[in-house]
Amino acid sequence: NKTVDENFDALESKLASLEKKVKGFNKIVGSYMKDLKNFQDTSLSGAVNLQSYYQDNPGMAMHALLGKMQDFHRDNVERKYPLLVKTVDERVSKALEAFTKELGQVRARIKDRNEARLSFDHYRIKIDGLRKEREKYVSQGNLAGWKNKERFQRNEEKFEASKLRYDTLNAAV
């Protein structure tokens, strides 16, 4: 008989969904940065190749235009793209890493809470069984014949300790 906390279960489900979205967003950012780099490199390569095609006619307007295009793409690859990478790393990636770390800490507290819940449930079920057994002896007027008094007390102490731990961890999550 498991302790059920529907609100907690709903929040844990939302946390799992959030973790999945953060992980997906992190992948999208990384993929975007790779695709942008490939685009910049390909554009520069294309401009270099086109300019070399027209290199025999340096006086043509196309040659000058392609030279400007090559300079533009080289500036993107050598100067602007590294600045963008630095900005994304410093702002987006670091924020995602910090948020992912925080989600991991919440996940660890949930794990501890769930382990405490299992212990609490174990001792609650054990104590319920011993109480029923004791009530049977009491109803028969034979409490003196009940041999599990010490076991009951020992398990009741463990139950109280596990309840306190569960309540504490449940509140901390």
Side-chain angles (χ1 to χ4, degrees):
N1 203 9
K2 176 180 156 184
T3 301
V4 176
D5 183 343
E6 291 176 6
N7 291 335
F8 179 85
D9 293 343
L11 290 173
E12 186 177 17
S13 176
K14 287 180 182 179
L15 176 68
S17 175
L18 182 60
E19 286 173 319
K20 186 176 180 180
K21 287 176 183 175
V22 168
K23 187 176 181 179
F25 183 68
N26 205 8
K27 274 184 161 180
I28 289 169
V29 168
S31 178
Y32 173 77
M33 295 305 292
K34 282 184 198 173
D35 290 347
L36 185 60
K37 176 71 172 137
N38 287 337
F39 173 76
Q40 293 297 332
D41 289 343
T42 301
S43 296
L44 176 59
S45 176
V48 168
N49 288 339
L50 282 171
Q51 189 181 32
S52 69
Y53 178 77
Y54 287 99
Q55 81 181 21
D56 292 338
N57 299 316
M60 289 183 67
M62 182 61 89
H63 189 269
L65 176 67
L66 291 172
K68 288 180 183 178
M69 189 172 151
Q70 182 179 343
D71 291 343
F72 170 78
H73 288 296
R74 187 177 315 283
D75 184 54
N76 283 345
V77 168
E78 294 174 359
R79 193 177 64 80
K80 290 178 183 169
Y81 180 76
L83 286 174
L84 178 63
V85 168
K86 181 180 177 191
T87 301
V88 168
D89 282 347
E90 288 175 355
R91 294 189 180 163
V92 177
S93 297
K94 284 187 180 177
L96 281 171
E97 283 175 26
F99 192 57
T100 300
K101 183 178 178 181
E102 190 174 323
L103 289 174
Q105 291 168 346
V106 171
R107 180 60 62 198
R109 288 195 307 267
I110 287 172
K111 181 179 181 250
D112 290 345
R113 178 253 185 211
N114 287 338
E115 289 171 1
R117 181 189 49 82
L118 289 173
S119 177
F120 169 70
D121 286 344
H122 170 77
Y123 287 108
R124 183 177 45 81
I125 291 167
K126 208 171 195 182
I127 286 295
D128 286 347
L130 288 169
R131 280 187 183 133
K132 287 178 185 174
E133 183 182 299
R134 182 181 64 185
E135 288 170 13
K136 181 180 165 186
Y137 277 87
V138 168
S139 69
Q140 295 171 353
N142 187 19
L143 187 56
W146 189 47
K147 298 183 193 262
N148 286 325
K149 290 176 192 170
E150 287 180 22
R151 183 172 169 225
F152 178 78
Q153 287 177 320
R154 188 176 60 247
N155 281 288
E156 195 170 42
E157 288 171 9
K158 290 179 183 178
F159 167 74
E160 290 300 326
S162 69
K163 182 179 182 336
L164 178 63
R165 178 167 159 62
Y166 170 69
D167 289 344
T168 302
L169 291 174
N170 194 42
V173 173

